């Protein structure tokens, strides 16, 4: 997916959730083989998708992408590790980070 499409998706998400109490966090696959092998990145929470996106892009050597979630069938933002400074992604254990939503209890 092209960067301008990703940026447009980010703007749309932030516009939709501008008046909500939703927080975002980044979760990565830490490579463990047991079922609960995801860890939040730095335990830092973001008010907007744009903040999370900027943090992930500044933090590491990653490429963003929008994919269809296997669980929800909705679109989600992920960051995968670049393969040796190229424009290719490495998928697999310990190679990608996913944007997650934390909704308030009702």
């Amino acid at each position: 997916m092209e960067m301008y499409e990703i940026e447009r998706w980010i703007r749309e998400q932030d516009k939709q959730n501008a008046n909500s109490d939703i927080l975002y966090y980044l979760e990565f696959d830490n490579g463990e083989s047991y079922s609960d092998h995801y860890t939040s990145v730095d335990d830092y929470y973001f008010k907007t998708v744009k903040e999370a996106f900027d943090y992930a892009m500044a933090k590491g050597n990653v490429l963003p992408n929008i994919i269809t979630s296997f669980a929800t069938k909705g679109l989600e933002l992920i960051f995968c590790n670049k393969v040796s400074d190229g424009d290719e992604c490495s998928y697999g254990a310990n190679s990608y980070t996913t944007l997650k939503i934390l909704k308030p209890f009702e």
Side-chain angles (χ1 to χ4, degrees):
M1 181 169 278
E2 298 291 330
M3 186 61 81
Y4 74 90
E5 295 174 298
I6 294 170
E7 290 171 347
R8 182 179 50 160
W9 182 86
I10 291 169
R11 283 192 304 273
E12 289 171 2
Q13 294 302 305
D14 284 341
K15 187 175 180 182
Q16 286 175 10
N17 297 317
N19 297 317
S20 74
D21 292 334
I22 290 174
L23 292 176
Y24 301 91
Y25 63 99
L26 297 167
E27 185 176 77
F28 73 97
D29 182 341
N30 66 14
E32 297 292 336
S33 60
Y34 54 89
S35 62
D36 185 16
H37 59 282
Y38 295 97
T39 306
S40 61
V41 175
D42 295 340
D43 293 324
Y44 190 74
Y45 297 93
F46 307 93
K47 185 62 181 156
T48 66
V49 176
K50 178 72 169 126
E51 288 175 355
F53 177 83
D54 289 346
Y55 178 85
M57 295 299 287
K59 191 81 171 156
N61 190 27
V62 296
L63 290 172
N65 200 3
I66 305 265
I67 64 167
T68 302
S69 168
F70 178 76
T72 67
K73 305 300 183 217
L75 296 179
E76 66 180 356
L77 177 63
I78 67 165
F79 302 90
C80 64
N81 294 341
K82 285 185 184 180
V83 177
S84 62
D85 294 331
D87 287 333
E88 297 178 33
C89 283
S90 167
Y91 290 100
N94 207 19
S95 67
Y96 65 93
T97 302
T98 308
L99 178 74
K100 296 292 185 182
I101 297 173
L102 182 65
K103 297 182 180 179
F105 288 111
E106 296 189 7

